Amino acid sequence: MKINKQTLDNGLRVVHMQDSSTQMVAVDVLYDVGSRDEHPDHTGFAHLFEHLMFGGSKNVRDFDTPLQKAGGECNAWTNADVTNYYSTLPAHQIETALWLESDRMMSLDLSAKSLEVQRKVVMEEFKQRCMNLPYGDVNHLLFPLCYKVHPYKWPVIGKELSHIANATLEEVAEFYHRFYVPNRAVLSVVGNISWNQTLHLVKKWFDDIPKGEEFARSLPQEPLQTELRKMSVERSVPQDALYMSFHTPPYLDRDYYACDIISDILCNGDSSRLKQRLIHERKLFTFIDSPISGTIDAGLLDIKGKLRPGVSLEQAEQAVWEELDAIKNEIISDYELEKVKNKVESVRTFDNINYQRVAYRLAWFELNEKAELISEESNYYRAVDNACIQRVANDLFNPTNASVLYYRKSN
């Protein structure tokens, strides 16, 4: 990949890659703000801004309409670490996206009316996802069980509904002026447009935006967990469910890549260990998965499953531990490891030929280290060998590194 990049005088980092195989262009603006940056008594603000940033700005009352008229579309998402806004549109219409993004970066409409509209939307989303859906409160239970000091201990949507309900316009404005500034953002452009044209247009639309106040992020780091943590709740749900979480290294730590491979060994595909043995052979679960959070700070590998009727949570947990002990005590075969590595490499390869996905990944790597890592990451996965898997598994699946939630079906 030929990657071009430059930092403007106001601190905005610009990353570009030309892709002549498409007539489209992706414009990605990645802000260095997520739920980990919120005050413990004012959570859910990063997610609220995901909505507020579409509520209109000084010169644009409706963000979607100009983009749609230019043949484009847009969306956004928020996680614990970052907030991402992206647009795709015909390459010759790129100025429309740059105009829209620059206007909401410089002069978002932070009015009482806009806040009230988006507040209601976010509160309804909280109620629907966390209060009305079966298992909807799992993250509100599990995160504070796993994290005692790090702000990953509350979900992205917020710790409590009251935090959004009581948010004042002054608090929201302070959050905006602190984080949604050019020096806390990466602008990535990928598609059928040259670097010279991209840089010219980016400077045209973003050069005049004032730099935000500089500050160093200082988050409380989670201490090493030294004991098994357990919690049990009863809810009106259709099946008992088991949730087990294990602390992992942060994303760019080399051992993270071994953890990611381990998560695939456990649950990526029907032939994976937990699905094959605990669903198909032993028939203990109807569903099981093992996602990894991949957060910038130390994250989690989760094992979550729905139990078959008649299977106890204690029996299910013991069965999972037996499979984890097997990874700890037995060297994984070359065939199994190579199969998983091939799957990982295919996913990364497809990521790197999708211009929209490339735009986000370039922005993410530039934000956290350097954009060029997008081409190097596959080597980190390839470097993981059998001995590394066993070493990391023994650290990862230590009972003192585990938090377990029994989610019981109420009678």
Side-chain angles (χ1 to χ4, degrees):
M1 293 184 178
K2 177 172 172 47
I3 298 169
N4 305 291
K5 57 186 184 180
Q6 184 171 321
T7 302
L8 305 188
D9 291 342
N10 59 13
L12 179 67
R13 284 165 278 184
V14 184
V15 187
H16 164 270
M17 193 188 82
Q18 186 165 0
D19 181 356
S20 301
S21 69
T22 177
Q23 295 303 309
M24 304 291 285
V25 67
V27 175
D28 195 291
V29 180
L30 187 68
Y31 287 97
D32 187 12
V33 56
S35 60
R36 66 175 179 161
D37 296 298
E38 297 161 350
H39 188 279
D41 297 327
H42 299 86
T43 63
F45 275 48
H47 177 248
L48 175 63
F49 263 94
E50 178 189 322
H51 293 262
L52 281 170
M53 293 283 273
F54 289 96
S57 55
K58 181 179 179 181
N59 300 300
V60 185
R61 307 316 306 167
D62 175 13
F63 193 91
D64 290 338
T65 300
L67 199 66
Q68 290 169 354
K69 286 183 175 180
E73 59 183 15
C74 62
N75 213 329
W77 52 261
T78 312
N79 66 23
D81 298 315
V82 295
T83 304
N84 191 54
Y85 300 87
Y86 59 94
S87 305
T88 57
L89 69 170
H92 68 279
Q93 297 281 12
I94 186 176
E95 270 199 274
T96 301
L98 296 177
W99 160 56
L100 293 169
E101 292 292 358
S102 65
D103 204 57
R104 66 179 172 185
M105 181 184 286
M106 183 166 184
S107 51
L108 188 67
D109 177 22
L110 288 175
S111 65
K113 179 181 178 182
S114 175
L115 174 58
E116 208 53 42
V117 168
Q118 300 305 327
R119 185 205 310 274
K120 289 179 180 178
V121 172
V122 171
M123 289 176 66
E124 285 304 311
E125 184 179 346
F126 189 108
K127 293 173 185 176
Q128 181 183 11
R129 288 170 50 186
C130 305
M131 300 169 70
N132 297 332
L133 281 180
Y135 314 100
D137 62 346
V138 165
N139 288 343
H140 285 87
L141 298 169
L142 196 54
F143 287 178
L145 187 64
C146 298
Y147 293 102
K148 298 304 177 184
V149 301
H150 194 284
Y152 288 161
K153 65 183 177 179
W154 57 79
V156 174
I157 202 165
K159 188 193 302 184
E160 300 174 13
L161 191 60
S162 62
H163 288 184
I164 296 302
N166 298 329
T168 67
L169 187 58
E170 292 74 20
E171 291 166 344
V172 168
E174 192 279 332
F175 196 82
Y176 170 70
H177 292 298
R178 182 173 175 83
F179 291 109
Y180 296 82
V181 291
N183 46 309
R184 298 198 71 83
V186 178
L187 171 61
S188 177
V189 176
V190 174
N192 199 351
I193 184 171
S194 71
W195 169 233
N196 287 340
Q197 185 182 6
T198 298
L199 191 58
H200 167 73
L201 293 175
V202 168
K203 286 183 175 180
K204 173 182 175 181
W205 290 105
F206 288 86
D207 248 353
D208 293 337
I209 302 177
K211 185 175 186 177
E213 180 182 349
E214 295 283 3
F215 65 92
R217 177 183 278 111
S218 180
L219 301 178
Q221 293 305 297
E222 189 67 21
L224 182 68
Q225 186 173 328
T226 57
E227 61 182 3
L228 175 65
R229 298 170 184 164
K230 283 199 168 187
M231 174 186 288
S232 180
V233 298
E234 282 194 10
R235 298 287 190 269
S236 178
V237 292
Q239 298 167 265
D240 287 348
L242 174 68
Y243 299 88
M244 304 171 67
S245 295
F246 303 87
H247 292 279
T248 69
Y251 191 104
L252 290 176
D253 187 288
R254 292 303 177 90
D255 280 351
Y256 166 82
Y257 299 97
C259 291
D260 196 13
I261 287 177
I262 289 170
S263 78
D264 285 351
I265 291 170
L266 292 175
C267 277
N268 188 350
D270 280 342
S271 64
S272 59
R273 292 192 176 195
L274 297 187
K275 291 184 179 180
Q276 184 65 34
R277 296 173 188 175
L278 302 187
I279 293 180
H280 301 303
E281 294 177 11
R282 300 182 64 179
K283 302 189 185 306
L284 300 175
F285 291 83
T286 61
F287 162 85
I288 196 164
D289 198 10
S290 60
I292 189 168
S293 64
T295 45
I296 292 173
D297 293 331
L300 297 173
L301 186 153
D302 299 319
I303 297 173
K304 53 184 180 180
K306 306 285 176 56
L307 277 58
R308 288 186 181 272
V311 177
S312 72
L313 283 157
E314 293 79 6
Q315 180 185 4
E317 183 192 352
Q318 178 59 34
V320 172
W321 279 115
E322 289 170 7
E323 297 301 328
L324 302 183
D325 287 341
I327 292 182
K328 291 164 59 177
N329 298 326
E330 303 165 11
I331 292 290
I332 185 173
S333 71
D334 291 339
Y335 171 80
E336 188 176 14
L337 181 56
E338 189 65 20
K339 180 181 71 171
V340 170
K341 284 184 177 181
N342 288 342
K343 285 184 177 181
V344 171
E345 191 163 352
S346 68
V347 169
R348 289 292 177 260
T349 299
F350 280 111
D351 278 346
N352 290 347
I353 61 175
N354 180 309
Y355 70 98
Q356 181 181 324
R357 183 67 177 160
V358 170
Y360 163 67
R361 283 169 54 76
L362 283 175
W364 192 91
F365 281 115
E366 183 64 21
L367 179 69
N368 290 289
E369 189 167 327
K370 59 178 183 177
E372 289 77 7
L373 282 179
I374 192 173
S375 299
E376 301 172 20
E377 192 180 36
S378 290
N379 296 331
Y380 300 158
Y381 284 103
R382 278 287 162 197
V384 176
D385 60 19
N386 316 62
C388 179
I389 292 290
Q390 188 173 40
R391 174 182 60 80
V392 171
N394 273 275
D395 291 336
L396 183 63
F397 298 131
N398 188 324
T400 62
N401 189 43
S403 298
V404 180
L405 171 63
Y406 285 2
Y407 205 98
R408 297 184 188 275
K409 174 185 176 182
S410 57
N411 297 323

